[in-house]
Amino acid sequence: LNFPSTDYARETQHLAGASWGEVVAALRKEARAALLQQGSRYRGVTKGNPGRWKVRIYWQRTEYTLGAYDNEEKAAAAYDKAAFIKFGPAALLNFPSTD
């Protein structure tokens, strides 16, 4: 660790009784909340220039900008398409299929 383990006492105590699935779910919830603070209710979509929605996806520690859209839902659909191509059926999508 870069810092003394005592600096992480609260986090360690909080995670001690959690399963791996619970930890992943909590991280996803926090990530989703961070995205909402950026102005969109959709994954991978943020406010760009006035009236535009910017689409980004992260893959292998690299950010890829997919473009800017006038409509938030179209931007979310563009993210879904790229996410499905990159991550396959396990991708976390804004509009999951109902198959």
Side-chain angles (χ1 to χ4, degrees):
L1 294 174
N2 293 331
F3 304 98
S5 61
T6 55
D7 290 355
Y8 301 101
R10 189 178 66 165
E11 289 82 1
T12 303
Q13 181 182 14
H14 178 72
L15 295 174
S19 70
W20 179 251
E22 291 170 332
V23 171
V24 170
L27 289 172
R28 285 183 177 163
K29 184 178 178 181
E30 287 181 26
R32 186 74 177 145
L35 285 175
L36 287 173
Q37 289 177 353
Q38 294 179 10
S40 176
R41 61 182 177 249
Y42 297 109
R43 182 181 307 277
V45 179
T46 57
K47 284 186 179 177
N49 292 332
R52 305 279 285 172
W53 295 94
K54 187 175 181 180
V55 183
R56 292 182 283 191
I57 192 168
Y58 296 88
W59 185 60
Q60 295 182 344
R61 297 182 181 180
T62 302
E63 176 186 320
Y64 296 91
T65 300
L66 305 176
Y69 295 81
D70 293 325
N71 181 295
E72 187 179 11
E73 287 76 19
K74 287 181 182 178
Y79 172 87
D80 282 3
K81 183 177 179 180
F84 190 80
I85 290 169
K86 289 288 185 191
F87 305 115
L92 297 173
L93 304 175
N94 294 303
F95 308 110
S97 70
T98 56
D99 296 4

